[in-house]
Each structure stands twice: as structure tokens, then as C-alpha cells.
Amino acid sequence: MTDAASSPDQAGDDLAFFIDLEPQDSDMMAEVVEGLSATPKGLSPKYFYDQRGSELFDRITMVPEYYVGRTEIALLRQIGAELAADIGPDATVIEYGSGASVKIRTLLDALEKPHLYAGVDISRTFLLESCRALKADYPDLPIGAICADFTRPFEIPAELFGDHWRLAFFPGSTIGNFTPDQAVDVLKAIRSELRPDDSLLIGVDLKKDRDVLERAYDDSQGVTAAFNLNVLHVINRVLQADIPVENFSHRAVYNEEKGRVEMHLVAEEAVSFTIGGHDFSLEKGETIHTENSHKYSEEEFNALAARAGFKPHRIWIDDNRLFSVRLMRAV
Ligand code: AVJ
């Protein structure tokens, strides 16, 4: 664990703090090599989000089939007054996966005099950009940035968040990217930055019709396909690999038994490539599993969150029962 709290001028501007826990590229090499050496082959979805991947994800949120982002934003707008009443004034807001710009603005606008905003993200560039953009719009709100991989336990100076009620904000159903056991660990890591009766506001996608789910992850404009394929470009660039991206295609399928949409990259013909001195090959038709997006019923998610020390406080669901926004309390 590094202790890399830096002064505001190292962050280059008027952020209240910038903590860089330096999530390592060497972890990426080891993880990618391990994932592609396994049977079946797999990659962590966190590598989707380089600059282009983040831009492609933004475009996914605008395709008609992908209901997740817009449904969550509409819910957040509707529930502002109830949320403000539940959270109270002067809250410290900690956002996991910074950059969901419309969502955090909707939340900050709803709350009464938030005390501090802290963004936590693995991408240093994206984190600093989104925190600076937020600072420009909320000049009177202290804004801090924490560069960290929140899928692993991380430690930040205890005094950083101060004495106010804390609200952890984890939108977008990002929690769905993890298997249920991993999700419990992520929620435990979030829980460890909270005290009893602090809050977690989390977006959780609901179980629904297979067709709706599969279309949401295979849109007709091919944006999700480009997003999925981009992870191979990321590996080629960051790890100096030579994966022939043009030989892969995108596949999305709802695995009903596991309650998740899976994205895969399918080798359209036999391919071979090298990453960091390791040789890999895929037969025609072999796949790389790139993402899971778990869907939960209300009860399923309650049970999962309970294992991490959260109890349900309120749940809001849209009229079409597509998506849930949940307010949970730390036990
Ligand atoms: C950002 C993880 C919530 O799983 O719905 C969207 C990512 N992947 N389309 C999701 C994603 C393909 C998204 N999350």
C-alpha cells in the first residue's frame, strides 16, 4: 500500500486533495496473461475503460436499447426530495467509479449543502478530468480525488472524510460486473469507509425478459460491439501485444441460471498472438469472456448486501420495472 497523499498543487489545481494509491500496470500484465491462460479464457471488464473505452461507454448510454443509464438518471431526478430528506444536510459524498457526470450532478443538486465530494476511480486521467469539471460547476464544494482500484481493499487517511454523515454513491449497476461473492467483497470495501448508519446509494439492475437484456448488450448501431472489441486494442497498446482485433466479433447472451448477461469475444478464425513474451492461440469459434452484468431481484440484492454489513432502507423502481436505485444503511 502506498501513502501518496499529495498537495493540491501536485494535482495542478484547486482540488481539496488528490490521493494516488497508484494502481499498477504490472498488475494488468499479470491479470491479462492469467486470464488468457485460463480455460475458458477471460478478461476483467475494468480494462475496457481507457479514453476511447470511456467514450464508447458514454455512447452506449445513448443507444435506445440500453435502458440502464437513462432509467437510473430519471429515477435519481424523481427521488431528489426524498433522498435529501433521508440523507440530511452536510453529507460527505464518496463516489465509486467517478465520471458518471450527470448522475453525480443530479445527486449533488438534490442534497442539502453537501459538505465534500470525493471521487474514487482507477483511471487517473478520467478521475482528475471529471473532478475538475465538477469543480468548475460547483466552485464552493470541496472536491477530492482518490485514484485507486476499489475492487481491492484500500486505505485512505481516516481524517479525510471528516465527521459528517457519509453517503457512498455507487451508480450504474457497476456492482453487477462482479460475481456475487466478489460483489460482497466490493461492498465490504465500501462499508469499511463508512460508520454505522452512514448510507450507500446504489444502482442495481433488475432481472427481466431475455430479449430486452440481450438487445441492451448488443445494440443495432454496434456501439456495444465496438466497446467490447476495444478491450483488445487496450491490451495491444498498454501491453504492447499483437492481437488481431479484426478476427474477433462481439457476442452478448443472458445466462439465466447465473442471472447475468455475459459478453464474449468470439474468434472468427484460428488466431495466435503474443503478450509480454507469452504465446496465446484460439481455435476458430473459441471465446474470451469479457464481462458479466449480474441482474438481481429486490430480495436477492438484500441478501447479498446483508453479507457486507448493509440493510435496506428504501428502494425506488421505475414504472417499467427495469432498474432499481437503493438506499442502504451501514449496520
Ligand atoms: C457500466 C458495468 C454498468 O454492465 O451494464 C454496458 C457496462 N457493458 N454495456 C453494464 C456495459 C456493456 C455496464 N456497467
Side-chain angles (χ1 to χ4, degrees), residues 151-306:
T151 66
R152 293 149 197 258
F154 65 92
E155 259 170 56
I156 50 170
E159 67 280 5
L160 213 61
F161 293 148
D163 246 358
H164 302 260
W165 288 114
R166 293 174 195 167
L167 171 62
F169 183 44
F170 195 22
S173 202
T174 305
I175 194 68
N177 268 183
F178 304 96
T179 64
D181 284 346
Q182 291 168 339
V184 170
D185 289 342
V186 171
L187 292 178
K188 278 182 181 163
I190 293 174
R191 171 67 186 80
S192 73
E193 306 296 341
L194 303 176
R195 299 146 309 172
D197 292 327
D198 281 336
S199 302
L200 166 66
L201 184 66
I202 184 166
V204 183
D205 200 12
L206 296 167
K207 288 203 153 90
K208 63 183 66 66
D209 199 70
R210 168 184 298 275
D211 288 350
V212 176
L213 283 171
E214 289 183 349
R215 275 200 297 268
Y217 290 83
D218 194 6
D219 63 277
S220 60
Q221 293 170 54
V223 182
T224 309
F227 173 75
N228 194 10
L229 288 158
N230 181 59
V231 75
L232 300 180
H233 290 297
V234 173
I235 292 169
N236 280 348
R237 181 173 50 76
V238 179
L239 303 180
Q240 277 118 48
D242 59 354
I243 306 172
V245 182
E246 65 285 357
N247 291 339
F248 286 86
S249 65
H250 167 69
R251 178 185 294 164
V253 59
Y254 182 45
N255 181 336
E256 196 160 359
E257 190 203 320
K258 298 207 160 140
R260 68 193 192 195
V261 176
E262 298 177 1
M263 293 207 309
H264 298 266
L265 290 165
V266 186
E268 291 299 331
E269 52 192 88
V271 295
S272 51
F273 50 85
T274 305
I275 307 176
H278 301 263
D279 295 327
F280 298 94
S281 57
L282 283 85
E283 293 163 23
K284 179 176 174 160
E286 196 177 339
T287 64
I288 304 172
H289 184 179
T290 51
E291 186 179 54
N292 290 317
S293 198
H294 289 81
K295 312 301 171 186
Y296 293 102
S297 72
E298 192 176 334
E299 303 72 34
E300 283 169 340
F301 196 79
N302 282 345
L304 186 138

Side-chain angles (χ1 to χ4, degrees), residues 37-63:
S37 305
T39 317
K41 293 179 168 36
L43 289 168
S44 165
K46 71 183 173 201
Y47 299 122
F48 283 132
Y49 301 94
D50 70 338
Q51 184 77 30
R52 180 168 151 75
S54 298
E55 281 161 17
L56 282 167
F57 180 69
D58 280 349
R59 286 180 53 205
I60 287 175
T61 65
M62 292 179 246
V63 303

